[in-house]
Amino acid sequence: MAERITGLHGERLESVVFSCTGTEANEVALRMARAATGRRGIVCSDAAYHGTSEAVGKLTHLHRRNPERGAEVRGVPFPQTYRPLAGGPVDEPIE
């Protein structure tokens, strides 16, 4: 499966990371993004479930105030046809 996946994406994709759960997949994606960019900030949808680990658990249900989520996490409104969008991004911009 890994050979088929990498074969579909050209020479730049050299490896594949398989995971057992969505939480684990989000953890890997977060680590890879931080390693690639050197940055810590996270922007994600504000009303979704992202996982149960300490790192990605901070990204779940951002519309609820949670002081433990940290200054690096910001949420954007999740577009839903049965609920109108409110305002803009949650909290202040990431500095």
Side-chain angles (χ1 to χ4, degrees):
M1 180 61 74
E3 289 174 353
R4 288 180 70 189
I5 292 170
T6 57
L8 293 171
H9 296 281
E11 295 179 19
R12 292 188 67 186
L13 185 62
E14 299 175 354
S15 63
V16 174
V17 177
F18 291 103
S19 61
C20 295
T21 66
T23 298
E24 188 177 317
N26 284 332
E27 279 275 348
V28 170
L30 181 58
R31 288 181 188 188
M32 292 172 95
R34 285 179 167 170
T37 65
R39 297 184 176 191
R40 306 268 321 147
I42 304 163
V43 177
C44 59
S45 59
D46 66 355
Y49 174 76
H50 296 89
T52 58
S53 70
E54 184 176 350
V56 297
K58 295 176 187 177
L59 311 180
T60 298
H61 301 299
L62 293 180
H63 60 282
R64 298 179 189 155
R65 301 280 181 216
N66 180 358
E68 294 181 15
R69 83 171 174 247
E72 74 271 2
V73 178
R74 293 291 179 264
V76 294
F78 183 78
Q80 299 180 28
T81 58
Y82 60 93
R83 292 185 190 143
L85 291 177
V90 176
D91 298 327
E92 299 295 321
I94 298 173
E95 293 184 25

